[in-house]
Amino acid sequence: MSTGGVGTAFGEALSLILAFDHQVLDIALLSLRVSGLAVAIGLLIGLPAGACLAVGRFRGKQTLAVIANGFMGLPSVVVGVVVYLLLSRSGPLGDFGLLYTPSAMVIAQIVLVVPLMAAISRQVVEDAWRQYAEEFNAMRFTWSQSVRTLLHDCRYSLFVAVLAGLGRAMSEVGAVMIVGGNIDRSTRVMTTSIALETSKGDLPLAIALGLVLIAMILLLNGLAFVVRNWAMRRYS
Amino acid sequence: MPMFPVSASRLRFEPNGHAVLRGLDLVLGGEGISVVLGPNGAGKSVLLRILCGLLEPSAGTLRWGDYDHCPEGVAMVFQQPIMLRASVLENAALGLIPLGVARRERQASAWAMLERVGLADRARDSARQLSGGERQRLALARAWLTRPRLLLLDEPTASLDPSGAEMVERIIREVRTEGCKIVMTTHNLGQATRLADDVVFMASGCVREHVPVSEFFRRPASEEARLFIQGELPWQMAF
Amino acid sequence: MANGILKRLVAAAALSLVALGAAAADSITLASTTSTEQSGLFGHILPIFQKKTGIEVKVVALGTGQALDVGRRGDADALLVHDRAKEDAFVAEGYGAYRKNVMYNDFVIVGPTEDPADIKTAKDAGDAFKKIADGGKAFVSRGDRSGTHSAEQRFWKAVDVNPVGQTWYKEAGAGMGPTLNMAAGMGAYTLTDRGTWANFKNRQGLAILYSGDPKLFNPYGAILVNPERHPHVKKALAETFINWITSDEGAAAIASYKLGGEQLFFPMK
């Protein structure tokens, strides 16, 4: 990159944001929709799964907890390839024709964020469970009643799991590139655009897009922080 | 309402070989308030947990009326009751969840119960804002709401100020008059004389005395009980 | 409360998944190469095609080898790739219904402007490769089974050099763009198609040092993925595209794409 490249990039990023560049806006919105949906669905799976790991008493519980922890860093490329093989026309789910659609990207990102959210949820719920277990047992809670009550009680702490999932989903490139195909105006998201501009050698534009992405993630985190604080104040 | 006269014989509890209960014999009637007294480490809290079905005795027999396992209708209030991050009302209704009561009905019953324990005006507040005394009253309401026939109280007034303790005692008496059997531990001998029908004195994992309250304080049968009443056995905390 | 929120969440998630899945009615998936995508050709000709036919062409840009794999699995309706030998095999094995000539561009050898291997004076393309090998000058290979990688391997073979494992020979295992980024960063030689080079911005000290040998010509073919093997292939739509891109109209569209005043692709019509 030429000297002052980063400066150029900042300028370009600013002008992209200020100009509200139509194409960049579409791409950013797709990123939000895909990752937001993946996190929303992943939350419905990951949080209860983590809570079950914390509360349940069954064989292999420790193993599952270790797996969930380990899979927090699941390589997104591997997830991409596996989901690709599943969704490919020659794969077991090929009849749905989902490959190279936003839905395929959502599915891959669900696989990425579920272990992450489950691991965090397990940790958070386990801490609460240690305090509550005896009294819940005295009240004869079934384990599913315990799981539901604990999830509700830990809702503010579980925000962290949601944010972590969102950050992971929005910043990964390996999986969406493979299963989405980076198709213009169809499956091109922020990260794949950045990869594309980098490979075209347009590093300033790549960094500018990167700055837009980082700004989006920061904005979401800030928003979540405000909402969480507001909600927490209602119930100390 | 059927009663659960508790009868235990040669009850032992020795987790990992460490003996906490060493052959405890006890028969409790189906009514009234039994106060369990005794020095630290006597096994009072463990006894309550076994009566609640939370701990499994290592040996011996234990019956709740006709049951040989802890039946429904046994409730327990802990020394530090949990407060969920929710309203006082939701916390009071918590005990009804396992009974399969619908949410709307849970809250209606909880309202009525909060009025009886004097917390109705705090119903919408966060439970975590309550003082220690209010928390105990909430926990009592939570347990009472499940219409227990045997209610176990572990140090219900420990660390409460006198007025807080007095309100808790008033509620305990009220629960008793509804025909619920109460077994409670305390370190407050004044409270024992005010509430107890009978006193169970424990030491070293055994029941040393089980007599009507007046008899216990007037004529303690054992040397240990005499020392205990005089305050010469170790306390958990001063009163 | 928790229950109500949960139900609403599930419903919203299900709805949005359906909404995301809904694609335009008339569209085909075209597996193609990074060279055509990154040179900007598709951005120029596909809107012309869509305006005429209403068919949206979704381009997945990969190396030729990967694109052929995607076709083999039935994950694309048509292919536009550049590796004649592999394309013919693809059709012969029954994965493709047929292949049609579309256009060609040419490969160029780029390298540091100082030209340490002195390939500017090479007699032909083979000689240029030989000079790089003899001088042991750094060369970055795609190393990704792409059409460009195949072409490069043919040149080494023609001059009897086996570069794999040599210290001066780096296999990027990446697309054309990342490979050019690597070459620019290292001051190394590499083989690239002219289109990607023309659109590449991070040149640093690189320049075209050798071009023009007819052996460097790089033909592109369009292949219809065999509908008999993969019944879901949108045969009619895909054929509309292949017929258009090989027609006079398609040829004119290809020829009219210029970058910096230079025509990059030449229709074979």
Side-chain angles (χ1 to χ4, degrees):
Chain A
M1 201 183 342
S2 57
T3 45
V6 177
T8 322
F10 268 103
E12 212 162 320
L14 258 180
S15 66
L16 274 179
I17 296 168
L18 292 179
F20 233 57
D21 183 287
H22 190 60
Q23 215 172 344
V24 173
L25 192 70
D26 281 351
I27 292 172
L29 276 180
L30 186 64
S31 268
L32 269 180
R33 284 173 63 198
V34 166
S35 298
L37 190 53
V39 168
I41 296 173
L43 175 136
L44 297 176
I45 304 167
L47 298 191
C52 289
L53 274 180
V55 171
R57 271 188 285 177
F58 49 88
R59 280 160 70 88
K61 171 182 155 162
Q62 301 294 333
T63 319
L64 279 175
V66 169
I67 290 175
N69 280 334
F71 276 17
M72 284 200 286
L74 204 59
S76 58
V77 181
V78 176
V79 171
V81 174
V82 171
V83 174
Y84 171 86
L85 291 175
L86 288 175
L87 297 184
S88 165
R89 288 288 184 178
S90 307
L93 305 175
D95 290 343
F96 297 103
L98 290 175
L99 195 67
Y100 300 139
T101 66
S103 299
M105 301 197 285
V106 172
I107 291 168
Q109 292 198 339
I110 291 173
V111 177
L112 274 174
V113 298
V114 160
L116 177 69
M117 297 208 274
I120 297 176
S121 159
R122 186 194 66 83
Q123 193 62 57
V124 166
V125 170
E126 198 171 74
D127 290 345
W129 178 237
R130 215 168 285 139
Q131 290 176 42
Y132 296 177
E134 197 169 46
E135 204 161 332
F136 277 16
N137 287 335
M139 284 189 271
R140 315 283 183 249
F141 270 61
T142 64
W143 72 267
S144 72
Q145 287 165 340
S146 296
V147 162
R148 281 165 61 180
T149 310
L150 283 164
L151 280 175
H152 185 251
D153 197 54
C154 297
R155 56 202 180 278
Y156 305 124
S157 318
L158 289 173
F159 244 80
V160 177
V162 175
L163 286 179
L166 201 60
R168 172 117 161 99
M170 288 196 61
S171 60
E172 74 87 21
V173 60
V176 283
M177 183 68 99
I178 295 171
V179 304
N182 191 23
I183 298 169
D184 194 15
R185 269 177 277 267
S186 167
T187 59
R188 184 161 298 167
V189 291
M190 291 302 288
T191 52
T192 57
S193 311
I194 293 168
L196 178 66
E197 293 309 329
T198 307
S199 66
K200 278 158 67 174
D202 197 343
L203 304 193
L205 182 54
I207 294 181
L209 289 168
L211 290 173
V212 173
L213 178 60
I214 292 167
M216 281 167 64
I217 294 176
L218 281 177
L219 203 71
L220 283 173
N221 272 273
L223 209 69
F225 185 79
V226 170
V227 170
R228 174 175 181 263
N229 274 5
W230 171 81
M232 266 180 84
R233 238 174 286 128
R234 291 188 57 199
Y235 287 118
S236 82
Chain B
M1 192 157 62
M3 307 293 177
F4 294 141
V6 171
S7 64
S9 87
R10 286 187 224 131
L11 215 54
R12 301 189 70 86
F13 182 69
E14 30 204 16
N16 309 316
H18 169 73
V20 181
L21 298 186
R22 314 160 188 249
L24 177 141
D25 294 299
L26 181 65
V27 176
L28 295 171
E31 281 179 273
I33 299 178
S34 301
V35 172
V36 182
L37 295 174
N40 272 340
K44 304 185 297 287
S45 290
V46 166
L47 177 62
L48 288 195
R49 281 170 172 75
I50 287 177
L51 293 182
C52 190
L54 293 173
L55 296 176
E56 198 62 30
S58 319
T61 56
L62 176 61
R63 298 190 66 82
W64 294 259
D66 295 334
Y67 299 90
D68 58 0
H69 60 274
C70 185
E72 264 185 40
V74 178
M76 179 156 173
V77 172
F78 293 81
Q79 204 175 330
Q80 304 273 336
I82 57 164
M83 296 289 131
L84 298 186
R85 291 176 194 87
S87 66
V88 169
L89 186 68
E90 300 234 16
N91 269 282
L94 196 61
L96 292 177
I97 291 177
L99 303 182
V101 180
R103 196 183 142 74
R104 201 173 289 272
E105 286 172 52
R106 285 207 301 267
Q107 300 212 334
S109 332
W111 263 113
M113 189 53 78
L114 286 178
E115 266 165 30
R116 296 184 72 170
V117 301
L119 285 174
D121 55 329
R122 311 282 320 257
R124 294 288 176 209
D125 292 347
S126 161
R128 298 210 162 183
Q129 291 168 348
L130 296 184
S131 70
E134 289 168 329
R135 285 179 183 217
Q136 273 299 337
R137 276 147 64 198
L138 172 53
L140 277 165
R142 178 149 79 201
W144 195 2
L145 200 49
T146 63
R147 313 224 139 267
R149 283 163 280 175
L150 172 60
L151 179 59
L152 308 161
L153 309 175
D154 194 4
E155 306 257 4
T157 60
S159 74
L160 296 192
D161 60 29
S163 77
E166 203 238 290
M167 276 194 267
V168 169
E169 284 181 19
R170 184 183 60 74
I171 296 167
I172 293 173
R173 272 193 213 97
E174 212 174 316
V175 177
R176 176 192 186 279
T177 56
E178 289 207 343
C180 176
K181 170 72 184 176
I182 293 170
V183 180
M184 61 182 280
T185 63
T186 183
H187 274 109
N188 184 331
L189 295 188
Q191 182 172 69
T193 57
R194 285 193 295 277
L195 291 178
D197 292 296
D198 50 318
V199 168
V200 177
F201 179 69
M202 286 179 71
S204 315
C206 291
V207 173
R208 292 294 158 85
E209 285 188 52
H210 182 197
V211 292
V213 61
S214 53
E215 200 170 318
F216 178 75
F217 285 102
R218 238 181 302 139
R219 289 193 300 275
S222 64
E223 178 66 8
E224 274 164 318
R226 200 184 58 77
L227 288 172
F228 179 78
I229 294 166
Q230 288 173 1
E232 288 174 24
L233 281 183
W235 294 99
Q236 189 157 334
M237 55 189 71
F239 59 94
Chain C
M1 175 169 58
N3 238 338
I5 290 175
L6 206 71
K7 275 181 199 149
R8 263 173 277 158
L9 255 176
V10 173
L15 270 178
S16 358
L17 195 59
V18 171
L20 269 180
D26 279 352
S27 70
I28 59 167
T29 304
L30 176 72
S32 187
T33 66
T34 48
S35 53
T36 40
E37 166 86 345
Q38 292 182 13
S39 63
L41 176 70
F42 283 136
H44 177 73
I45 65 169
L46 292 183
I48 301 175
F49 173 69
Q50 185 168 2
K51 201 169 176 190
K52 179 182 162 71
T53 61
I55 300 171
E56 185 190 357
V57 181
K58 295 181 168 178
V59 179
V60 181
L62 306 155
T64 290
Q66 280 176 294
L68 289 168
D69 279 344
V70 164
R72 225 170 257 131
R73 302 187 64 92
D75 292 325
D77 301 302
L79 311 178
L80 183 69
V81 289
H82 62 115
D83 189 334
R84 187 61 201 258
K86 284 185 187 166
E87 290 163 36
D88 288 342
F90 183 84
V91 174
E93 287 160 14
Y95 293 111
Y98 53 78
R99 177 197 179 279
K100 282 189 176 177
N101 280 329
V102 176
M103 62 188 182
Y104 68 89
N105 70 349
D106 66 335
F107 291 119
V108 297
I109 304 176
V110 298
T113 41
E114 315 84 72
D115 192 14
D118 192 29
I119 64 170
K120 272 184 189 152
T121 61
K123 297 193 298 288
D124 54 25
D127 190 37
F129 276 88
K130 196 152 178 18
K131 282 183 151 191
I132 294 170
D134 287 347
K137 303 301 178 198
F139 184 94
V140 183
S141 164
R142 290 278 295 272
D144 66 346
R145 299 189 306 129
S146 60
T148 309
H149 188 210
S150 286
E152 177 212 316
Q153 286 171 316
R154 281 198 297 277
F155 282 111
W156 293 123
K157 211 167 171 194
V159 295
D160 256 339
V161 171
N162 181 15
V164 178
Q166 305 284 341
T167 50
W168 51 268
Y169 187 76
K170 325 278 180 196
E171 286 186 88
M176 196 66 252
T179 304
L180 282 170
N181 275 331
M182 261 181 87
M186 297 166 54
Y189 291 93
T190 192
L191 181 73
T192 174
D193 61 280
R194 194 183 288 272
T196 303
W197 173 254
N199 208 17
F200 184 73
K201 298 202 172 66
N202 181 32
R203 294 183 183 180
Q204 300 186 32
L206 295 187
I208 294 180
L209 298 177
Y210 186 88
S211 66
D213 185 334
K215 285 206 181 97
L216 286 170
F217 282 13
N218 173 31
Y220 286 77
I223 300 175
L224 175 70
V225 175
N226 196 345
E228 281 169 31
R229 189 176 274 269
H230 294 294
H232 59 268
V233 165
K234 296 172 182 166
K235 180 166 183 272
L237 298 179
E239 283 197 308
T240 308
F241 174 71
I242 293 175
N243 289 337
W244 177 81
I245 202 173
T246 52
S247 70
D248 291 335
E249 226 180 306
I254 292 169
S256 68
Y257 179 60
K258 292 194 171 73
L259 202 62
E262 190 182 8
Q263 181 178 344
L264 295 175
F265 294 92
F266 299 86
M268 290 159 90
K269 182 75 189 172

